[in-house]
Amino acid sequence: MGDHSKHDHSGWEAVVLAARERARSRQALMVERFGLSGDVQYDWSMDDARITWSRDGKVFLTGRLTVIGSVSVARQTWLWSWANESLPHAALGDMERVRQFGEENGYPVLPWPAFKCDPELVAEARLVAASVLDAEGLWAESMDEVQLHFMIHDLVLTAERE
C-alpha cells in the first residue's frame, strides 16, 4: 500500500465504535449461551483452525478459529495473520477481506502488514477485523513471548451440557 492514501479518521472512529459495541454484545452472548465460564477447559489447533471446549473431559462445543494477528512482546510489534507466512493456511480464514476492507475505505492500519504495537490500536484492529468477518467471539492466547489473537466462528454444541 502506498503512502498516498488518506486516512479517514472520523470514519475509522465510527467503525471502531460500532465494532466495539458489536463485539461486546456478541462476546457476552457467546459466554452466556454456551456456558463458557467456570470449570471449562479448551483445546485449540492452528493446523486445522479448530477450538473445542470441554467440561469434565467431555467436549460440548466446537468452533472454527481465524488468526487475526500476533504481537511480538520482545519487539513490541503487531503482525497481521495475512502477512505471516509461517501460519497454516487453514488458520487464515477470510483475513484477506479485512485487508481489502481497509484499502477500500481508507483505513491504512488494516492493510499495513505490521505496525508498532500500541495496545489501543491492536484492540481496535482486532475489533474491526471481527466485525468485518462477522465473528461470534474474540480470544487471545499468550505463549513464548508472542500473543496470538483469534476470532471464533461457527460454534456448534456437540453434547448436552449438564
Side-chain angles (χ1 to χ4, degrees):
M1 178 178 137
D3 289 335
H4 303 325
S5 66
K6 293 196 179 233
H7 173 60
D8 180 356
H9 189 69
S10 62
W12 175 252
E13 287 179 345
V15 166
V16 168
L17 181 61
R20 183 172 279 126
E21 289 305 312
R22 182 193 170 285
R24 186 175 297 144
S25 64
R26 283 227 169 166
Q27 195 81 14
L29 179 64
M30 180 182 73
V31 170
E32 180 183 330
R33 179 177 176 208
F34 297 110
L36 298 178
S37 58
D39 63 342
V40 176
Q41 294 80 41
Y42 63 90
D43 188 35
W44 61 279
S45 166
M46 274 199 283
D47 291 333
D48 62 0
R50 303 298 301 164
I51 186 167
T52 60
W53 287 268
S54 60
R55 188 174 282 114
D56 299 325
K58 297 177 186 168
V59 172
F60 68 89
L61 183 65
T62 64
R64 180 172 56 89
L65 291 176
T66 298
V67 180
I68 303 169
S70 58
V71 172
S72 166
V73 176
R75 288 190 222 107
Q76 286 297 293
T77 55
W78 167 265
L79 178 63
W80 284 102
S81 63
W82 56 262
N84 188 340
E85 295 178 5
S86 70
L87 294 175
H89 182 72
L92 299 179
D94 292 328
M95 283 301 296
E96 183 64 22
R97 283 183 35 215
V98 174
R99 187 191 62 72
Q100 291 171 344
F101 178 80
E103 285 182 349
E104 292 166 2
N105 292 284
Y107 308 136
V109 72
L110 301 178
W112 289 340
F115 54 86
K116 183 165 176 42
C117 180
D118 171 271
E120 183 61 27
L121 189 54
V122 167
E124 291 174 355
R126 290 175 67 227
L127 292 167
V128 171
S131 182
V132 169
L133 296 184
D134 196 31
E136 291 184 62
L138 288 164
W139 175 62
E141 183 85 19
S142 293
M143 53 197 279
D144 300 331
E145 298 294 315
V146 174
Q147 297 171 352
L148 297 170
H149 297 270
F150 300 90
M151 287 180 243
I152 300 170
H153 310 270
D154 306 330
L155 291 172
V156 176
L157 284 170
T158 58
E160 288 298 314
R161 290 180 288 156
E162 294 178 25

